[in-house]
Amino acid sequence: MTAQDHGLEGAAAPRHGGAQEPAGRSGDGPDSTPSPSPDSTSAGSTSRASSDDGFEDVLALVGRRSPGPSGPRHGSRTPSGQSGPRHAATSWAEARALAARAARTTPLATGRQPLDAALGRVLAEPLLALSDLPSFDTSAMDGWAVAGPGPWTVDTRGGGILAGHGEPEPLADGAAVRIATGARVPPGATAVIRSEHSRTDANGQLHAQRQVTHGQDIRPRGQECRSGDQLLAYGTPVTPAVLGLAAAAGYDELPTVLRPRVEVFVLGDELLSEGLPRTGRIRDALGPMIGPWLAALGADVVATQRIGDDAEALHRAVTGSRADVVVTTGGTAAGPVDHVRPMLHKAGAELLVDGVAVRPGHPMLLAELAPGRHLVGLPGNPLAAVSGLLTLAEPLLRERSGRSTPSLCRASLRDEVQGHPYDTRLVPVVYRGERLVPLHYSGPAMLRGVAAAHGLAVVPPGGARAGDQLEVLDLPWLPTFEGCFT
């Protein structure tokens, strides 16, 4: 089913940063919009008040007034949870770079994995040939092994040479013997003649029906590689083809970078795990989504747990986790039950990214819990959480699983997209022909747009016009856009 079938494709995305972002514990605050668009509400949104009222943003949009020399300002709190000075959020590009750099400070965990467990990891060492490939001269075809010029006398003893048998007897000059594909070529053989290119006469003589060249249809020992040759470099992703090559080269196990262990905590008293939304409570959209998304990014998700609006329970869960990376959802703003920042202060964590100049998702954060252990705090609105995954979690997990963060694809925009005055926007898009088409339902509490999307376009502050080249964040389970370039 296409995006048109869902009614998602068409006009440019909502003006001035898209839908108004529902305030509150969901952690994404108002999206600097004077009035909500038709896409601005959702059954899955929340409505608790946040200290980030977005008033300066509204003035900037209505009157086109600059936010001033201090740059973007967000209501923020110090790690202790007390009101603190407003500060400029980290730029979107720098936040991604900081997440990647944070991961590089930790040595990669490596280990040897059986072939059937290594798929999807990356090589922790170069893959060297353990033997010559092939390890002996083999027949490339079913036919006849012959020695010297023809015609040849057919040797009928033993029924020919089959694959998997021991070393055959030498072949005398002027003789021919039946041979199967993959069978070991007998000493003295000078060529293999395909069955369809030969005939035998009544006297038992074999005749070639085409010219025979020395060594034809024989795969010589070491044709593909010699023992000790480097077959693949460190960091190569282990694909099914890599598994096949490793098996052919004699490997039973592969040295790989281990997946980082990740634990997910979904926060909020209002969340339901089943049934329809009711009596002020909403379905948890993040619990079913975040774990599989992280796994697609290369993580080993050990658990996804629900925690209510309980600061002590959150502290116990985070400090008691043995995961390499902890991911929380919700509680990253400054509302009365937003406990993530105070919990980090109590745990002695260091905030590396405290808010990002991106919509949706600006209250996202990255912290170092201890050497080699990090926490990614995602906003609680679903599309805002996706923004946090692609901004902070993806580069962090790529580096920790041995994959460098690639350059982003660029593609041409079909329709104008209005932007935020000074924040980056991430907008769900589909690829139509050679153009990116923005989708509707791109409010921070909505998943309808991203569920049909091929990726998220990176819209710079101020917006983008039709024909502009935009960077595109690929979704980890879809192939890279056709026709895009870096």
Side-chain angles (χ1 to χ4, degrees):
M1 184 173 289
T2 66
Q4 292 105 321
D5 295 324
H6 284 289
L8 298 174
E9 181 181 338
R15 303 178 71 84
H16 308 310
Q20 179 173 337
E21 302 188 16
R25 67 82 32 70
S26 60
D28 210 31
D31 195 19
S32 309
T33 311
S35 60
S37 76
D39 289 347
S40 64
T41 59
S42 167
S45 64
T46 60
S47 58
R48 298 182 186 174
S50 167
S51 62
D52 184 6
D53 58 16
F55 183 67
E56 290 286 328
D57 295 354
V58 172
L59 290 179
L61 279 163
V62 174
R64 294 295 188 269
R65 182 170 65 81
S66 166
S70 62
R73 293 191 288 176
H74 300 276
S76 63
R77 298 214 174 189
T78 63
S80 67
Q82 301 302 314
S83 297
R86 294 174 181 259
H87 66 281
T90 305
S91 74
W92 180 80
E94 178 60 15
R96 280 175 58 85
L98 283 169
R101 288 200 296 270
R104 295 186 200 120
T105 63
T106 303
L108 296 178
T110 62
R112 302 190 70 84
Q113 302 293 319
L115 295 186
D116 60 0
L119 184 65
R121 304 176 189 267
V122 301
L123 294 178
E125 301 171 7
L127 189 71
L128 305 181
L130 301 180
S131 66
D132 298 342
L133 282 182
S135 56
F136 47 81
D137 293 350
T138 62
S139 176
M141 295 289 169
D142 293 329
W144 300 90
V146 300
W152 301 270
T153 301
V154 173
D155 184 348
T156 59
R157 294 173 298 174
I161 304 171
L162 302 177
H165 289 210
E167 183 172 356
E169 294 182 4
L171 192 63
D173 190 47
V177 65
R178 278 282 187 188
I179 192 167
T181 301
R184 189 166 187 159
V185 173
T190 55
V192 169
I193 302 174
R194 303 182 188 189
S195 298
E196 61 268 27
H197 296 164
S198 64
R199 66 176 179 84
T200 55
D201 61 25
N203 297 319
Q205 294 287 302
L206 178 71
H207 299 266
Q209 295 179 307
R210 297 188 181 185
Q211 182 179 358
V212 177
T213 59
H214 188 84
Q216 76 175 29
D217 287 328
I218 293 176
R219 294 186 61 219
R221 177 175 181 167
Q223 181 185 51
E224 187 167 3
C225 65
R226 290 291 184 180
S227 180
D229 286 352
Q230 179 173 312
L231 303 177
L232 296 170
Y234 160 83
T236 300
V238 179
T239 64
V242 169
L243 294 177
L245 175 62
Y251 283 86
D252 299 317
E253 298 178 326
L254 285 178
T256 64
V257 178
L258 302 182
R259 293 174 179 268
R261 291 166 50 86
V262 179
E263 190 164 12
V264 180
F265 299 122
V266 179
L267 311 182
D269 285 341
E270 75 277 22
L271 302 177
L272 295 169
S273 59
E274 60 184 13
L276 294 174
R278 59 185 182 273
T279 60
R281 302 186 69 190
I282 60 173
R283 277 297 298 271
D284 170 24
L286 298 182
M289 179 178 74
I290 298 299
W293 199 307
L294 293 169
L297 294 176
D300 179 10
V301 181
V302 297
T304 296
Q305 299 185 43
R306 289 268 305 280
I307 299 177
D309 294 323
D310 184 326
E312 288 303 317
L314 176 62
H315 181 267
R316 288 194 302 271
V318 170
T319 56
S321 174
R322 300 278 69 86
D324 304 307
V325 177
V326 172
V327 175
T328 62
T329 70
T332 57
V337 292
D338 290 330
H339 299 306
V340 173
R341 282 178 175 82
M343 177 276 298
L344 291 173
H345 177 74
K346 182 178 179 180
E350 178 185 1
L351 273 175
L352 305 177
V353 175
D354 187 5
V356 178
V358 66
R359 302 298 171 114
H362 64 277
M364 67 181 75
L365 58 86
L366 172 66
E368 184 178 56
L369 297 171
R373 297 187 63 239
H374 293 91
L375 180 141
V376 176
L378 304 177
N381 270 325
L383 189 58
V386 168
S387 175
L389 283 170
L390 295 176
T391 301
L392 297 178
E394 179 177 10
L396 180 75
L397 292 174
R398 275 187 173 275
E399 294 287 344
R400 292 204 60 155
S401 59
R403 300 176 175 86
S404 60
T405 302
S407 299
L408 296 183
C409 167
R410 296 181 67 87
S412 179
L413 186 64
R414 193 189 75 175
D415 304 323
E416 178 185 6
V417 177
Q418 296 295 324
H420 191 274
Y422 46 74
D423 286 358
T424 298
R425 281 192 69 202
L426 301 183
V427 177
V429 291
V430 291
Y431 199 74
R432 294 284 177 258
E434 297 181 354
R435 296 294 184 94
L436 295 172
V437 179
L439 299 179
H440 292 304
Y441 305 106
S442 57
M446 298 179 179
L447 288 174
R448 187 173 172 184
V450 74
H454 295 156
L456 275 74
V458 182
V459 180
R465 297 180 178 180
D468 286 354
Q469 293 283 333
L470 296 184
E471 293 180 320
V472 181
L473 291 160
D474 293 327
L475 302 179
W477 49 86
L478 294 177
T480 301
F481 288 131
E482 299 176 4
C484 72
F485 58 90
T486 56

